[in-house]
């Protein structure tokens, strides 16, 4: 149990996917103008990451990795060069599936999160998480927890930037620094604050 | 340069920043992005009249992903150490918004030769920002430029120290923010707030 809590703390605070690995910056910068939309995107990312991380883990473990096809008597085949294309298709398919299920069973949630779901397919943090969990050799439970933790880290980062940017409206920023330039500097400061967590472990 | 994809439209910095602690990784990344972007633009431009509109995104994605796999395999074969350093970030070119963005916005409407030039131009514009960020981070973080020590030993003896913050992630955010500021001040563009 403690091991899993450690993975969550690690992926949320110490190795935050956005602030330390810079993944998912595109949507991070464009969506963080309003607090409500950033909460919506954050929740959608948590949701999709918790599903795609274990799915991609299973595909890698039983289809792609070296010796993974031994259950079919094809142990000598190594398909790991197909990782990128398979992972991105799984993510795209999963996002589509989630979108349809949500539309069918929870229209209210669909109205709120629906517009963010297509954006998520090309969000680097989703593909990045899948690639990281292969690189770090996580098992099924660890990858699920890691996926959830990364999503939570993204949520935390995007909501904090959105709230800070809301305050910035009242301040007098030089005209060419407005918008993205200022957002980058603010992200730098938030990221610096997160560095303070480094070294924590249970 | 006036329409630089990073500093004006802020696209594709996802995979860009993590590998900019040193110039040599940034240069290799730039070459990979330029190659993938120009080839994908040409391929998609050749296919543009045969792609059904409904499934165009997934077709563009598969073209790009295949090219990234080729780039990854080439790097593994000829520059193994470099491919270890770039790690997962090379794979993340797939989700780089610039590549998909140019395919969608330009290659779908224009002839292959124009698309090739557009791909190269955007790739180089992207690369120039990467290399600029890497230049400052390496200079202040390690005291060197492209692996060669430029800050003399006497200065270190005189109490100068490398700035560790530059190597960590906040350094990249600050430098990119400042570059965006300088570039926008020069071209005179600005956002609403």
């Amino acid at each position: 149990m403690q091991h899993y809590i450690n993975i969550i703390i690690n992926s949320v605070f110490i190795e935050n996917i956005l602030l330390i690995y810079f993944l998912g910056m595109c949507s991070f910068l464009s969506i963080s103008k309003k607090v409500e939309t950033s909460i919506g995107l954050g929740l959608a990312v948590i949701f999709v990451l918790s599903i795609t991380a274990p799915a991609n883990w299973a595909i890698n473990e039983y289809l792609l990795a070296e010796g993974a096809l031994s259950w079919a008597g094809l142990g000598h085949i190594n398909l790991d060069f197909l990782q990128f294309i398979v992972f991105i298709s799984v993510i795209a398919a999963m996002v589509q599936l989630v979108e349809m299920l949500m539309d069918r069973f929870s229209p209210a949630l669909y109205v709120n999160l629906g517009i963010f779901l297509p954006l998520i397919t090309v969000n680097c943090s989703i593909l990045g998480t899948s690639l990281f969990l292969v690189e770090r050799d996580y098992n099924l439970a660890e990858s699920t927890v890691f996926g959830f933790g990364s999503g939570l880290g993204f949520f935390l980062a995007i909501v904090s930037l959105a709230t800070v940017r809301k305050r910035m409206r009242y301040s007098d920023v030089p005209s060419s620094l407005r918008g993205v330039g200022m957002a980058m500097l603010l992200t730098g400061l938030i990221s610096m604050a997160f560095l303070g967590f480094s070294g924590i472990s249970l | 340069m006036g329409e630089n994809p990073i500093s004006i439209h802020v696209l594709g910095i996802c995979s860009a920043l993590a590998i900019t602690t040193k110039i040599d990784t940034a240069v290799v990344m730039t070459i990979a992005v330029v190659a993938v972007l120009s080839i994908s633009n040409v391929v998609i431009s050749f296919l543009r009249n045969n792609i059904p509109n409904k499934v165009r995104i997934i077709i563009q994605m598969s073209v790009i992903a295949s090219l990234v796999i080729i780039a990854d395999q080439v790097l593994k074969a000829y520059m193994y150490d470099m491919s270890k350093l770039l790690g997962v970030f090379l794979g993340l070119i797939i989700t780089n918004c610039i590549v998909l963005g140019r395919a969608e916005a330009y290659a779908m409407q224009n002839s292959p030769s124009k698309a090739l030039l557009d791909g190269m131009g955007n790739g180089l514009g992207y690369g120039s920002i990467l290399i600029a960020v890497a230049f400052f981070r390496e200079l202040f973080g390690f005291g060197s430029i492209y692996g060669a020590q430029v800050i003399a030993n006497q200065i270190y003896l005189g109490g100068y120290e490398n700035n560790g913050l530059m190597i960590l992630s906040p350094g990249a955010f600050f430098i990119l923010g400042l570059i965006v500021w300088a570039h926008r001040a020069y071209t005179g563009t600005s956002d609403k707030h």
Side-chain angles (χ1 to χ4, degrees):
Chain A
M1 196 61 210
Q2 200 185 11
H3 177 56
Y4 298 117
I5 297 176
N6 241 341
I7 291 185
I8 291 198
I9 290 182
N10 203 47
S11 54
V12 174
F13 294 112
I14 302 166
E15 296 187 328
N16 188 299
I17 193 125
L18 218 156
L19 299 170
I20 306 296
Y21 287 114
F22 313 103
L23 300 178
M25 291 296 300
C26 307
S27 41
F28 175 69
L29 290 176
S30 51
I31 301 294
S32 63
K33 281 173 190 152
K34 270 184 164 172
V35 181
E36 296 77 31
T37 46
S38 69
I39 291 177
L41 180 72
L43 289 177
V45 168
I46 295 183
F47 196 61
V48 172
L49 263 181
S50 328
I51 297 173
T52 53
N56 276 338
W57 176 86
I59 285 176
N60 184 58
E61 186 74 11
Y62 295 112
L63 291 176
L64 299 179
E66 198 167 2
L69 284 170
S70 48
W71 54 267
L74 299 166
H76 56 286
I77 293 179
N78 179 6
L79 292 176
D80 68 0
F81 65 93
L82 287 177
Q83 259 172 22
F84 298 150
I85 196 162
V86 172
F87 282 0
I88 195 77
S89 334
V90 168
I91 291 168
M94 280 292 173
V95 169
Q96 198 80 56
L97 194 70
V98 168
E99 202 177 341
M100 288 193 294
L101 286 177
M102 216 184 245
D103 192 21
R104 171 74 183 76
F105 293 109
S106 166
L109 194 62
Y110 179 73
V111 171
N112 286 322
L113 292 185
I115 48 163
F116 303 113
L117 283 171
L119 270 181
I120 284 179
T121 314
V122 287
N123 188 326
C124 329
S125 58
I126 315 280
L127 183 60
T129 306
S130 295
L131 294 174
F132 274 131
L133 62 90
V134 171
E135 203 182 65
R136 295 179 189 170
D137 262 335
Y138 282 148
N139 65 25
L140 179 59
E142 283 169 338
S143 10
T144 315
V145 169
F146 177 64
F148 176 73
S150 298
L152 203 61
F154 185 90
F155 177 82
L156 198 65
I158 195 169
V159 174
S160 37
L161 182 68
T163 36
V164 177
R165 278 182 99 170
K166 198 175 160 194
R167 295 275 161 187
M168 290 306 293
R169 261 178 236 163
Y170 304 110
S171 52
D172 186 21
V173 181
S175 72
S176 40
L177 188 57
R178 272 176 214 168
V180 182
M182 201 61 216
M184 293 304 298
L185 296 185
L186 291 174
T187 315
L189 290 174
I190 298 175
S191 158
M192 227 159 117
F194 269 67
L195 279 183
F197 290 116
S198 58
I200 296 178
S201 77
L202 292 181
Chain B
M1 278 308 278
E3 286 279 305
N4 189 297
I6 291 191
S7 60
I8 300 297
H9 302 300
V10 206
L11 290 175
I13 42 177
C14 317
S15 45
L17 291 171
I19 44 89
T20 53
T21 45
K22 289 220 168 157
I23 297 178
D24 50 357
T25 46
V27 169
V28 174
M29 189 71 177
T30 306
I31 296 170
V33 171
V34 171
V36 170
L37 186 53
S38 27
I39 299 174
S40 80
N41 256 6
V42 171
V43 171
I44 289 165
S45 166
F46 269 120
L47 294 174
R48 71 186 187 281
N49 295 324
N50 300 320
I51 299 178
N53 206 30
K54 272 191 177 164
V55 290
R56 66 183 195 285
I57 300 280
I58 199 119
I59 291 178
Q60 290 163 2
M61 277 294 210
S62 12
V63 169
I64 295 166
S66 322
L67 289 168
V68 172
I69 290 176
I70 294 172
D72 185 46
Q73 297 292 322
V74 169
L75 264 190
K76 269 190 190 143
Y78 295 103
M79 304 174 81
Y80 190 69
D81 298 337
M82 191 51 84
S83 87
K84 276 272 167 269
L85 275 179
L86 291 178
V88 301
F89 293 101
L90 195 78
L92 290 169
I93 298 179
I94 299 173
T95 49
N96 188 323
C97 329
I98 295 180
V99 184
L100 192 64
R102 292 325 292 174
E104 175 78 7
Y106 198 89
M108 286 300 279
Q109 276 97 36
N110 290 286
S111 64
S113 55
K114 277 187 187 167
L116 174 68
L117 289 178
D118 178 75
M120 284 165 79
N122 274 287
L124 290 173
Y126 173 83
S128 63
I129 297 279
L130 274 196
I131 293 171
V133 174
F135 173 80
F136 287 111
R137 284 181 82 183
E138 189 175 343
L139 179 63
F140 294 119
F142 296 100
S144 59
I145 292 175
Y146 208 74
Q149 198 68 27
V150 287
I151 294 180
N153 243 337
Q154 281 85 344
I155 305 180
Y156 284 108
L157 294 177
Y160 176 83
E161 276 187 27
N162 284 331
N163 187 348
L165 186 69
M166 281 298 154
I167 305 166
L168 298 170
S169 43
F173 286 119
F174 289 138
I175 288 184
L176 189 61
L178 294 175
I179 289 178
V180 171
W181 184 10
H183 188 258
R184 287 191 170 185
Y186 179 69
T187 54
T189 40
S190 73
D191 280 7
K192 283 273 151 46
H193 65 79

